[in-house]
Amino acid sequence: QQLEMDIKIMLDPENMDNKAALKHPNDETRLPLITKKKTTPMCSQKPGNSHTVPNPWALPAFRSLDSALPLVEGDTPKGPQSLSNHRLILQAAKGTLPAPPVVSKAALLPEFPRQHKKSAGAIYGTHSSGKGNLAPLPSSSSVVSPRKSKPEWMSPAQQLQSEVHIPSHTQDPCLDWDIAVPRGTTDQKAPGFLALQHHHHSSWGSSVGFLEHSERLLEDRTINGQKLPQIPSEFAFHENSPKSAILSVIKKQSAVGKISNLAGQSCRGQGGTAGAAAVVQGRCHGAGEAAAAAGRQQWASGVIGTAWRSRRHLARLRNALREARHRHLENFYSRAKHLAANWNRIRTSRRTIIHIPSLGYSQRIREHIPDLALQQNLQMGRLCDILDANVDVIYICPLALSEELLQYYNKLLGLQAAVRSGNPEDMADLQDRFKILTPEAINSFPEHRMCLATLLKYSPRTMQRIRVLIQSRDAYVVGGFPHQDDLAVADVLQVPVLGSEPALAQLYSSKSGSRRIFASAGVPTPPGEGDIRSTEQLLRALSRLILDNVEVQRWLLKVDGARGGDGTACCDVGAHLECYPWILREWHRHGAEVWRESQARELALVKISQELPGLLAQHVQPVNEKRFPTWEKFLQTFLTQGGAIEAFPLSASVTNLTVDLLIEPTGEVTMVASGDQLHAEGSLRSSGTTIPQRSVDPEVLRVLCWKIGEACKSKGVLGYFSVGFVAFTRPQTGEQQVWATDLDLCYSDQLALTQLLLYMTDGNLECGSSRLQGPPASRESKSQRIQHKGTEPVSRMLCCFLQAAPRSPRCAVASSQLRHSLLAGISYNLLLHSCEAHGVGFDLQEKQGTVFVLYEDQKRHSLGMLTIGEDLQGVLLTFARNLFIIHQEISAPNMQGETNFKMAIQDIEAILGVTAENKLKLEEEQPWEADAVKE
């Protein structure tokens, strides 16, 4: 009776009457109040779907501890509370449990062989209990359901199972209280179960506990209900009930005994297959973790298996990529040595140059380059290398050009013979000398913003065509900004690259890297500091620079990886630093030498440190405000990529110039182009150039370039690169100062336009003397004749200036960055006819005039323009006039469009104004020299 009362209390702990029976004076046991929880409804699985293979990547619904999970050892608590939890499970078990889904073998980890004897021990698995003993750990099912729609291969265990007959459930429960255990779950609605429960209600608690433990071993078996109540009570709630005790109540004990002794049978029945999966994944620690993990085991095993194979596959891919890049680099240096050894022969013999104008910057930089494909096609002037009769050109184009555009370049390049003779009838067809190829992969990766070299790498048809074109000929690659895939393409084509290693180019083309090159070359640079990567370092460096260079009122912050001035911001300390007037007074009072050691300098450092954070946040002006609308955006990029601080010259006359150099494979350093920059979009962004440069003494420039070239050569730089300088006049001394500011280890837009200039004039550029020599022209230039005709000018002031610079046989104004949104509204053919009607064209006899560089004919919002003449003023005037004419032709008073034409015209007007001022000074100081210039 006491046992029956205890079981009754444990099965219904919420009943206050039952609890009252336990309150004996000497009894210290207190059972917790377990609130009744709603069981999670389970959707029954249709028999027809029992063989559905689940998606291994589909995350299963998480089962809470209240859901109907089969009991496993880790879930079964010890002590008097265990029966209350059993009751919760039994209530939930009244619902129909879904059949365990089948997991595809491909989604699991490697299987253990089911017939091997050692598999049983491997599948059981163990975990440490609180007392240190070991117990088997079953887990969620991963075994194929025995209900098959078609015959399959059967293991010996399955063959024995097929021989065991499962008796019918329709027998009279009064005659045989048999309890069926189909698929490891007791059928609690069967007549035999209900009849046995009613007849043995007093000892039913022990029977229930025994049944639950038996479910782990049994699958599709029948228990003899008459023998069930005879089970010893000490086995009723024991977690590890002896197998003999369980077999004693099962019908056909001999057949079932043989099956149970086979390897792997501990993982059959309720929760058995979950144990197998748990062993593969590792041991569950603690009862709570085991219960939560049971519902996710099957999914996790598939995910882990897939991830395990994916990691191995990814590791193999990474190793293969690393080995491939190492091989490409070794072959790059090997072929570079061969190119150096044979350069003198190759440069004078028949050869093919493969031009790949790729911008191989890092991905984070390419993502912010607007219209990347167009920017990689601004160097169509590379085609003009066919000016050398021994050179054929293969130009890799990042855009698909129309037949109209291809015919334009066929006619333009066919002018070579006509330029030399001055007779338009001598035009020739040179299509066999150059090929424009577009990789077929240009539209395959629209969202990846790949550089041109990468697109070519993934274009096998184009690669095969290049191999055919260079077969049995000397050839080499001239790229753009180097990328790893430039080396890969060259390796496939088995040709050398006239360029630097990509890692080297990325290192020394940065703002901080270029400062290191200039320092090693010993050339003047702006006061500044590089390799800044933290806010503290930025504030500390800028504060020190302001105090060491008090006369500098504007400082530039340059992002290391930026190009074209996009990553530059200016900070005007003279206008916005409140303590700057006091610092300037103290600096003048102490003098430059005493100032460095004075206490006033220390006090100034404290004041600057307090004001600088607020000044930067409020008054820094990024050049590209669309990309960096706030200081926070700019600062984040600046610190992420690293950057440099540089002083801006304190002068009313500042000129930027660019010099292109070539380090040949033999080590010889040559200047190949030079020009003064035009600025149509602010003083910190170059939009064009005047060729050749006129702002610096050619000999001074030659010495600086030679030093920089030797420093680059010592670092391993090879091929084409450009150096940016800034020239200004010091207000204190009136002397010119030249600073080296930028280094780009790649082929520049200016060099491509210079190649076109030499092609159209049949001339020779002497960078050492800054003279463009060409065939003699008529006495009166075409630009001058246009002025005399009185055609509509851009500005009245443009027509009144005389030449102030020394006369040169030829000069040019060129730009690859002209943009106008309304160009898309007119075809190129109509545009060229309109320009011809206004006298905009090229004179073959005079070898001067205007040539357009057309990039693409889909968007048509950008173009390049080259204007050639005899004097700088006339060429600038013609260039500005051309912009004015084009704008008038494509726009209307109420539709001006977005353009940089107007700013380019304003910049030219400023240049002409400075030239006129210099001319007046020259007449006042040296009248005889001014008369010589007029003559």
Side-chain angles (χ1 to χ4, degrees):
Q1 292 179 355
Q2 181 63 37
L3 176 63
E4 185 174 346
M5 178 61 68
D6 292 343
I7 294 174
K8 185 176 180 182
I9 293 172
M10 293 178 184
L11 291 179
D12 192 9
E14 295 91 343
N15 194 320
M16 301 303 295
D17 296 334
N18 294 339
K19 284 187 178 182
L22 273 179
K23 295 182 180 180
H24 301 293
N26 298 326
D27 195 349
E28 297 296 331
T29 303
R30 293 183 178 87
L31 292 180
L33 177 62
I34 303 177
T35 59
K36 186 175 295 184
K37 300 180 180 179
K38 296 181 180 180
T39 59
T40 304
M42 303 293 293
C43 298
S44 60
Q45 181 176 355
K46 296 181 180 181
N49 296 334
S50 61
H51 296 84
T52 303
V53 180
N55 183 357
W57 294 106
L59 184 64
F62 180 78
R63 294 180 176 178
S64 65
L65 294 178
D66 296 332
S67 62
L69 291 177
L71 278 177
V72 295
E73 295 179 27
D75 294 333
T76 308
K78 309 295 188 296
Q81 297 183 31
S82 60
L83 288 182
S84 62
N85 288 337
H86 277 302
R87 178 181 179 276
L88 293 176
I89 296 298
L90 287 175
Q91 284 187 351
K94 294 180 181 180
T96 304
L97 289 176
V102 180
V103 177
S104 174
K105 293 182 180 180
L108 299 175
L109 292 175
E111 289 190 48
F112 295 98
R114 291 194 289 179
Q115 292 180 337
H116 202 283
K117 291 183 179 180
K118 294 183 179 181
S119 63
I123 292 178
Y124 282 156
T126 58
H127 74 94
S128 300
S129 65
K131 298 180 181 180
N133 61 323
L134 299 179
L137 177 65
S139 58
S140 61
S141 173
S142 62
V143 181
V144 179
S145 171
R147 300 180 182 178
K148 301 290 183 180
S149 60
K150 56 182 179 180
E152 293 186 358
W153 177 86
M154 300 177 64
S155 66
Q158 292 172 328
Q159 293 175 4
L160 283 174
Q161 290 174 3
S162 64
E163 298 174 1
V164 179
H165 174 68
I166 300 178
S168 172
H169 298 172
T170 59
Q171 298 178 3
D172 187 354
C174 297
L175 300 178
D176 187 2
W177 293 317
D178 293 343
I179 301 174
V181 188
R183 304 183 63 164
T185 303
T186 303
D187 187 0
Q188 299 184 19
K189 295 183 179 181
F193 182 91
L194 299 176
L196 186 64
Q197 181 183 21
H198 177 73
H199 191 272
H200 295 282
H201 62 88
S202 61
S203 60
W204 184 240
S206 60
S207 301
V208 169
F210 183 81
L211 283 175
E212 291 183 356
H213 295 298
S214 303
E215 287 176 346
R216 301 177 194 169
L217 178 68
L218 306 178
E219 182 175 3
D220 293 334
R221 304 291 177 261
T222 303
I223 295 177
N224 191 329
Q226 294 179 347
K227 296 182 179 181
L228 182 61
Q230 302 174 12
I231 294 297
S233 59
E234 61 267 21
F235 296 151
F237 300 106
H238 199 281
E239 295 185 3
N240 295 319
S241 301
K243 185 186 298 184
S244 58
I246 298 176
L247 292 177
S248 65
V249 298
I250 296 178
K251 288 190 173 183
K252 297 188 178 182
Q253 299 178 14
S254 60
V256 176
K258 292 180 181 179
I259 296 174
S260 64
N261 290 328
L262 292 175
Q265 287 305 302
S266 63
C267 293
R268 301 185 68 85
Q270 184 180 13
T273 52
V279 171
V280 176
Q281 297 178 54
R283 301 171 180 176
C284 293
H285 301 284
E289 291 186 7
R296 302 191 299 267
Q297 303 250 344
Q298 186 177 7
W299 168 82
S301 62
V303 172
I304 292 174
T306 304
W308 176 66
R309 289 190 299 273
S310 299
R311 283 197 299 270
R312 291 180 56 190
H313 183 61
L314 183 60
R316 287 195 298 267
L317 287 178
R318 287 176 176 172
N319 291 334
L321 179 60
R322 189 181 300 110
E323 293 174 359
R325 288 184 172 177
H326 182 70
R327 183 176 66 254
H328 296 158
L329 190 60
E330 287 183 340
N331 293 338
F332 164 78
Y333 280 113
S334 176
R335 294 191 177 100
K337 292 181 180 179
H338 180 271
L339 183 64
N342 297 273
W343 180 248
N344 291 330
R345 176 189 61 82
I346 294 175
R347 65 183 299 184
T348 58
S349 61
R350 191 76 176 170
R351 63 194 183 277
T352 300
I353 303 177
I354 306 170
H355 281 285
I356 309 176
S358 175
L359 296 180
Y361 297 98
S362 64
Q363 180 68 27
R364 63 185 179 186
I365 296 176
R366 294 200 305 271
E367 288 177 352
H368 295 287
I369 299 178
D371 210 338
L372 178 61
L374 176 65
Q375 293 297 317
Q376 294 180 121
N377 201 38
L378 300 182
Q379 299 178 1
M380 296 292 289
R382 293 182 184 226
L383 291 168
C384 297
D385 279 349
I386 64 172
L387 181 63
D388 186 339
N390 290 323
V391 174
D392 290 346
V393 170
I394 299 176
Y395 179 84
I396 307 302
C397 182
L399 296 166
L401 303 185
S402 65
E403 189 64 27
E404 178 186 5
L405 215 53
L406 293 175
Q407 287 298 323
Y408 174 81
Y409 283 104
N410 289 338
K411 293 180 179 179
L412 180 65
L413 297 175
L415 292 173
Q416 182 181 13
V419 167
R420 289 175 177 173
S421 65
N423 185 1
E425 296 180 356
D426 292 339
M427 289 182 60
D429 188 357
L430 300 179
Q431 294 188 54
D432 59 335
R433 298 278 312 283
F434 70 94
K435 300 295 180 184
I436 301 176
L437 304 181
T438 300
E440 64 266 22
I442 59 171
N443 296 321
S444 300
F445 308 97
E447 303 299 330
H448 291 74
R449 300 188 68 79
M450 293 180 175
C451 66
L452 181 58
T454 303
L455 294 175
L456 179 60
K457 173 185 175 182
Y458 295 125
S459 301
R461 291 198 300 271
T462 305
M463 294 287 287
Q464 177 60 27
R465 188 174 180 189
I466 295 174
R467 278 195 290 263
V468 172
L469 292 173
I470 64 175
Q471 192 172 8
S472 303
R473 301 187 64 177
D474 288 326
Y476 56 89
V477 171
V478 176
F481 192 87
H483 187 272
Q484 291 285 350
D485 288 334
D486 286 273
L487 308 189
V489 168
D491 204 31
V492 172
L493 298 176
Q494 298 182 355
V495 295
V497 178
L498 184 59
S500 302
E501 177 189 345
L504 199 68
Q506 293 180 4
L507 175 63
Y508 292 117
S509 290
S510 67
K511 306 305 179 183
S512 300
S514 62
R515 290 185 63 85
R516 290 193 290 270
I517 289 287
F518 298 150
S520 64
V523 297
T525 57
E529 184 172 330
D531 297 307
I532 296 176
R533 296 185 178 275
S534 68
T535 305
E536 295 76 12
Q537 186 183 5
L538 171 63
L539 297 175
R540 183 172 60 252
L542 186 54
S543 299
R544 180 181 55 79
L545 288 171
I546 292 174
L547 292 178
D548 291 344
N549 305 271
V550 179
E551 72 280 7
V552 177
Q553 299 185 10
R554 170 177 289 187
W555 293 90
L556 304 180
L557 308 179
K558 297 183 176 181
V559 177
D560 268 345
R563 58 181 296 271
D566 283 345
T568 302
C570 59
C571 177
D572 294 322
V573 297
H576 303 293
L577 191 65
E578 294 181 1
C579 63
Y580 182 77
W582 175 82
I583 294 174
L584 197 59
R585 289 194 303 269
E586 291 295 316
W587 180 71
H588 283 296
R589 186 169 66 88
H590 288 84
E593 296 299 328
V594 180
W595 167 256
R596 296 181 181 275
E597 304 297 333
S598 65
Q599 293 183 354
R601 186 181 186 278
E602 298 300 324
L603 180 59
L605 181 61
V606 174
K607 291 186 176 182
I608 292 176
S609 301
Q610 294 174 350
E611 294 185 29
L612 205 53
L615 184 149
L616 294 175
Q618 297 179 10
H619 300 293
V620 167
Q621 293 292 327
V623 172
N624 188 348
E625 294 184 352
K626 291 183 179 179
R627 181 181 175 187
F628 304 113
T630 63
W631 161 248
E632 288 74 17
K633 292 277 188 181
F634 180 85
L635 181 63
Q636 180 182 6
T637 303
F638 185 87
L639 299 181
T640 301
Q641 301 184 20
I645 306 173
E646 289 185 356
F648 187 83
L650 179 62
S651 176
S653 176
V654 179
T655 303
N656 297 89
L657 61 149
T658 304
V659 179
D660 290 282
L661 298 99
L662 168 65
I663 299 180
E664 300 184 20
T666 56
E668 182 180 355
V669 180
T670 308
M671 295 173 62
V672 293
S674 67
D676 296 322
Q677 294 181 10
L678 298 176
H679 301 92
E681 298 181 52
S683 61
L684 300 177
R685 302 178 76 172
S686 175
S687 59
T689 181
T690 60
I691 305 172
Q693 70 85 24
R694 300 284 185 84
S695 57
V696 177
D697 183 354
E699 181 60 23
V700 172
L701 194 61
R702 185 192 66 80
V703 173
L704 293 175
C705 290
W706 181 83
K707 290 181 178 181
I708 295 173
E710 291 296 320
C712 289
K713 184 173 66 174
S714 67
K715 302 295 184 181
V717 176
L718 178 67
Y720 296 96
F721 66 98
S722 61
V723 182
F725 296 94
V726 58
F728 62 98
T729 303
R730 285 188 173 275
Q732 298 88 351
T733 61
E735 296 179 354
Q736 187 183 61
Q737 177 73 45
V738 181
W739 287 341
T741 56
D742 293 292
L743 178 66
D744 292 313
L745 300 183
C746 61
Y747 199 104
S748 72
D749 295 350
Q750 175 181 271
L751 181 55
L753 291 169
T754 301
Q755 295 295 92
L756 179 60
L757 166 64
L758 299 178
Y759 193 89
M760 298 305 299
T761 58
D762 193 25
N764 179 38
L765 179 61
E766 297 178 359
C767 294
S769 59
S770 293
R771 294 177 67 87
L772 176 61
Q773 300 289 349
S778 61
R779 181 66 178 171
E780 188 179 37
S781 69
K782 184 172 182 179
S783 61
Q784 291 172 335
R785 292 198 301 268
I786 292 175
Q787 292 182 37
H788 295 165
K789 290 179 182 179
T791 55
E792 49 187 352
V794 178
S795 174
R796 294 182 181 273
M797 65 174 292
L798 295 179
C799 300
C800 63
F801 298 119
L802 300 176
Q803 184 175 7
R807 180 179 292 274
S808 173
R810 286 290 185 276
C811 61
V813 178
S815 175
S816 61
Q817 302 287 344
L818 299 175
R819 296 189 301 275
H820 203 303
S821 60
L822 299 182
L823 282 171
I826 183 173
S827 66
Y828 282 140
N829 199 15
L830 182 57
L831 176 65
L832 295 177
H833 278 90
S834 299
C835 291
E836 184 180 3
H838 288 84
V840 179
F842 191 79
D843 191 328
L844 291 175
Q845 294 181 350
E846 302 290 340
K847 297 178 179 56
Q848 56 187 345
T850 298
V851 178
F852 293 103
V853 184
L854 308 179
Y855 304 132
E856 50 85 30
D857 53 1
Q858 295 179 357
K859 297 181 180 178
R860 296 197 311 275
H861 54 69
S862 299
L863 54 79
M865 188 167 67
L866 172 66
T867 301
I868 307 169
E870 291 183 354
D871 60 88
L872 182 59
Q873 273 79 14
V875 174
L876 287 169
L877 175 63
T878 302
F879 191 89
R881 176 181 176 274
N882 293 342
L883 294 179
F884 181 78
I885 291 173
I886 295 173
H887 178 72
Q888 289 293 102
E889 286 294 316
I890 64 177
S891 64
N894 60 344
M895 186 181 297
Q896 296 294 301
E898 296 183 6
T899 179
N900 60 359
F901 284 17
K902 294 181 179 180
M903 296 184 65
I905 293 173
Q906 293 172 2
D907 186 46
I908 291 174
E909 289 179 345
I911 294 173
L912 290 173
V914 172
T915 305
E917 183 179 350
N918 292 339
K919 175 254 179 188
L920 294 176
K921 290 182 179 180
L922 185 65
E923 289 180 345
E924 293 175 359
E925 297 175 0
Q926 297 174 336
W928 61 271
E929 199 168 309
D931 293 338
V933 170
K934 292 180 181 179
E935 294 177 1

